[in-house]
Amino acid sequence: MSKQHLGHTARKRFGQNFLHDNYVIGQIVDAINPQVGQNLVEIGPGLGALTEPVCEQIEQLTVVELDRDLAARLRTHPFIASKLNIIETDALKFDFTEIMHDGAPLRVFGNLPYNISTPLMFHLFSFANKVQDMHFMLQKEVVQRLAAKPGNKNYGRLSVMAQYHCHVMPVLNVPPGAFNPPPKVDSAVVRLIPHQTKPVDVKSESSLNLVCAKAFNQRRKTIRNSLKDCISEQQLIDLGIDPQLRAENLSLQHYADIANSID
């Protein structure tokens, strides 16, 4: 299958894989369920596979697109250009509060490039209190990591931080053939709904992030060893946590307790 699609060549450096399966596109748009008057934001609209059907249902859509050729195409789109607020920038560096208006929370969606999906989600978590929900197409493995529970091999820092910020709901699996060019992996759509009240009390989110990063960077070690720079074995025991456990055995509550004890 040619990488040429409507005159645009998919760029490896942007991790571009364009969605073209109408049945899958319809399922994703149904999952997003866009409504008139909502503050919808699409990250990486690409060739408009989701942009066009979403615009059929609403009057205004903000899109964040880094590829200047694709942004230029959208500006001259024959049907939807008038509905678009096009922001040509890197979503990883964008301050999403700039597009808040009338206090309406953001509804964010996108077919995320694989190479930026994890850092982009961490960036978006920092705006979680401004977001109603997020729907993302991701590598299936990333969705499994987002939803993983303690003890699962996919459970890691992303699982803990995502579940601290959001309710994670896998929505549907998407085969490689739905894209052009087809990626080498399966994809999936996930719905992330930020918690109104966080499931655990944390004094400092940066401490929680630090503890998770330290623990999972050396996930084969026991936490007594991987966390020895920030907490003693006795402190772990005092918190009711077995120092012989490994990172993947600790719950979000455990990580919150450790983070709160090092502050």
Side-chain angles (χ1 to χ4, degrees):
M1 194 181 285
S2 163
K3 286 193 177 181
Q4 198 77 14
H5 185 55
L6 297 180
H8 182 88
T9 304
R11 297 186 183 179
K12 243 189 167 59
R13 75 186 177 97
F14 290 148
Q16 289 173 341
N17 293 86
F18 297 114
L19 194 58
H20 67 84
D21 183 307
N22 286 331
Y23 175 70
V24 171
I25 290 165
Q27 285 187 300
I28 297 167
V29 175
D30 287 349
I32 297 168
N33 189 22
Q35 302 291 322
V36 172
Q38 294 177 332
N39 196 354
L40 282 119
V41 187
E42 182 178 12
I43 295 173
L47 293 166
L50 295 174
T51 323
E52 290 173 13
V54 166
C55 279
E56 283 174 19
Q57 300 185 25
I58 59 174
E59 301 304 318
Q60 270 192 314
L61 174 65
T62 297
V63 296
V64 181
E65 177 57 70
L66 178 59
D67 186 325
R68 69 167 68 95
D69 295 346
L70 293 173
R73 288 176 78 105
L74 290 169
R75 283 195 191 94
T76 57
H77 194 291
F79 308 118
I80 63 172
S82 62
K83 294 185 174 186
L84 298 179
N85 169 26
I86 300 166
I87 297 172
E88 198 177 316
T89 190
D90 184 348
L92 280 170
K93 301 188 176 93
F94 183 58
D95 177 358
F96 283 83
T97 59
E98 286 180 18
I99 47 177
M100 298 285 294
H101 53 76
D102 306 329
L106 302 175
R107 300 197 65 212
V108 185
F109 67 96
N111 170 20
L112 297 190
Y114 295 156
N115 53 351
I116 66 156
S117 58
T118 301
L120 182 57
M121 278 187 288
F122 275 102
H123 180 54
L124 285 162
F125 292 154
S126 67
F127 301 100
N129 62 339
K130 308 277 195 300
V131 171
Q132 179 179 323
D133 58 16
M134 299 183 270
H135 290 81
F136 293 131
M137 170 93 74
L138 299 159
Q139 263 176 293
K140 188 175 178 182
E141 178 207 343
V142 177
V143 173
Q144 289 169 334
R145 280 165 47 203
L146 285 164
K149 297 298 179 206
N152 183 296
K153 68 176 174 22
N154 292 309
Y155 184 71
R157 173 174 164 243
L158 182 61
S159 322
V160 178
M161 297 307 294
Q163 291 166 35
Y164 169 69
H165 287 290
C166 302
H167 182 47
V168 179
M169 304 165 69
V171 177
L172 72 144
N173 292 328
V174 182
F179 298 92
N180 182 17
K184 294 182 174 63
V185 294
D186 284 344
S187 302
V189 176
V190 68
R191 177 182 293 134
L192 301 167
I193 303 175
H195 297 298
Q196 293 294 317
T197 306
K198 295 283 195 274
V200 294
D201 288 325
V202 171
K203 288 185 239 171
S204 157
E205 284 179 21
S206 59
S207 295
L208 180 63
N209 215 346
L210 173 79
V211 168
C212 289
K214 275 186 179 296
F216 285 104
N217 281 350
Q218 304 182 59
R219 60 186 301 148
R220 293 182 189 285
K221 291 189 174 181
T222 62
I223 53 167
R224 177 181 65 191
N225 290 324
S226 60
L227 296 178
K228 65 178 186 292
D229 292 350
C230 53
I231 191 167
S232 70
E233 183 172 4
Q234 188 55 51
Q235 282 176 294
L236 287 168
I237 292 165
D238 291 345
L239 290 171
I241 300 170
D242 180 353
Q244 298 294 341
L245 292 175
R246 289 186 167 81
E248 68 194 44
N249 306 121
L250 269 59
S251 66
L252 171 56
Q253 184 65 63
H254 287 143
Y255 281 110
D257 291 344
I258 294 169
N260 289 338
S261 74
I262 66 169
D263 250 11

